[in-house]
Amino acid sequence: MSEIIKFDNVEVEFTRGSERFTAVGGVSLSIEKGEFFGIVGASGAGKSTLVRTINLLQRPTSGRVLVDGRDVTALKGRELSALRLKIGMIFQHFNLIRNATVFDNVAFALEASSTPRAQIAPRVVDLLRLVGLEDKIRLYPGSLSGGQKQRVAIARALANKPEILLCDEATSALDPDNTAEVVEALKRIKESYPITVVFITHQEQVARSLFDRIAVMDKGRVVEVGYAYDIFAHPKSQPARDLVARAADYELPREVLEREKDLFLLTFKEEHAYDAVISEVARRFGTDLSIIAGKIDYIRHKPLGVLLVSLRTVSERKRQEVLAYIRERACITEYKGASNA
Amino acid sequence: MLEQTLRILRNELWKAFYETAVMMGISFALSLVLGLLLGFALYLTETGAFFKNRALNSIASGIVNFIRSIPFIILVVFTLPLTFYLVGTKIGPVAASVPMTIAATVFLARLVEGGLKEVDDGVIEAALATGARSLLIVRKVLLREAAPSIARAVTVVFINLIGCSAMAGMVGGGGIGNLAVQYGYYRYETGVMVFTIVVLVVIVQISQHLGDYVASKFTH
């Protein structure tokens, strides 16, 4: 693998009146060719601003952005156009031309690359078939669902066979059904087409099902980078923990939380995900471990088990032994209720 | 009285119609082209993503504001030397169409600029992200997205021009408005005045409906 995008100490500052505001502060990060790379973080963390420096919708205040080894930060005019042709982008609000048909919206990107007129129509049909919308070709965006609009935007973004696809909160304005529809379309494209995807989201579910690697951003900085699985299994930074905790938000009834004082969240990784740790503990220590909630998630086909358990009627010494035993086999954190888990 | 009205109309109406048609035809056609160009120029020189040029924009904007602050009837007088230079006469419908063109051009330019500013920034950003050059974005995105508001702007300007043609008529342009003033006002021929009002109302109503129809055709 080789790196296709490299941020080198990228900084973006905005001036509002006399106030200076740092949206992105000194980010260095590499994205490998062919990766499905996720950038997650709360809104206002600087994710969009950072990603917009890749195709220069936002010029960095300082630092360099390298695409395919070439510094793009100073590009202008024709060269900038050429760079953007290699980089497709989709947006939270789809940003289709409202008064143009689905066909014209996709054809626009082909006209941007000066595609010969005769080749445009067959290529548009191909692209719309790729996203499963060839029957909507004569419609206007206004008569499409959100998921369909985003798929048209995907077709437009892929029109010039880009090497990179940027997705800025591409599913955040969609309901779960439409989100699934767009996620499926992206997965299918990723499988059939060697493209690097950089996907911004604050939705933990989307991150879980799509990303190879994840960068977690907070207040304009990247606080954690790693494989999606590792981040979900062992989040190290607080923002990453917040993201993962949202997945473990079981919304327990208040009575349960009040009754169960000694709650722990256990996370089992890969080989241990199927292990019978709980029954093992019960047998070995002769104690009760009550399971309050739990599930096994699959992150990029690898299992990640999460259990919320309560340690009951255990002496302090035994309690420590049990926790030590579990700690060897799983990641364990004390659970203090949904909001601050 | 009715007979008198009909006699005046028979003698004067067709000539007045002709004069109005000339004034409106020339000034509308020219201001449509010039106003659109100036409107786009105002927008494009102000917007960072395109041809931002603060000096050019301030000059264009200043001229537009200057012309728009002059009451039309004064503008007619003020532009008389220019009119004479351009068409070789200071009276008649062709002469009147000079100040009308100028006034309508700057008016339309401002309205077009406003319509362009209302185009969704996200759509422009998405177009930029495809790598499209500015002229393609102007033709295929800005023009399309602003088409309904441009159609409405053109309608407003056309109807405004009808009013201008009456004023220009007073200072030697002739036309329907002039007919109303000359006979209805100076000679107390109320019948002529009422008739011209009816004609103008019908023209305005038709224009507005046509404009709304075109705007709705551009909206999807």
Side-chain angles (χ1 to χ4, degrees), chain A residues 235-291:
Chain A
K236 291 187 192 73
S237 62
Q238 192 52 48
R241 272 198 288 271
D242 291 344
L243 178 84
V244 176
R246 244 175 285 149
D249 227 341
Y250 291 115
E251 290 182 27
L252 296 179
R254 185 183 291 274
E255 311 88 78
V256 174
L257 274 178
E258 277 166 7
R259 197 173 59 229
E260 307 289 350
K261 294 276 182 289
D262 220 6
L263 285 172
F264 289 92
L265 202 58
L266 312 187
T267 310
F268 302 92
K269 287 176 72 175
E270 297 187 62
E271 70 269 28
H272 293 300
Y274 306 109
D275 284 5
V277 176
I278 302 301
S279 52
E280 193 70 18
V281 167
R283 220 173 303 136
R284 203 180 262 248
F285 299 94
T287 173
D288 272 346
L289 264 185
S290 160
I291 297 172

Side-chain angles (χ1 to χ4, degrees), chain B residues 53-72:
Chain B
N53 186 325
R54 196 161 287 161
L56 212 60
N57 184 265
S58 317
I59 293 170
S61 182
I63 292 172
V64 167
N65 288 346
F66 173 73
I67 295 173
R68 291 204 60 206
S69 32
I70 305 171
F72 181 72

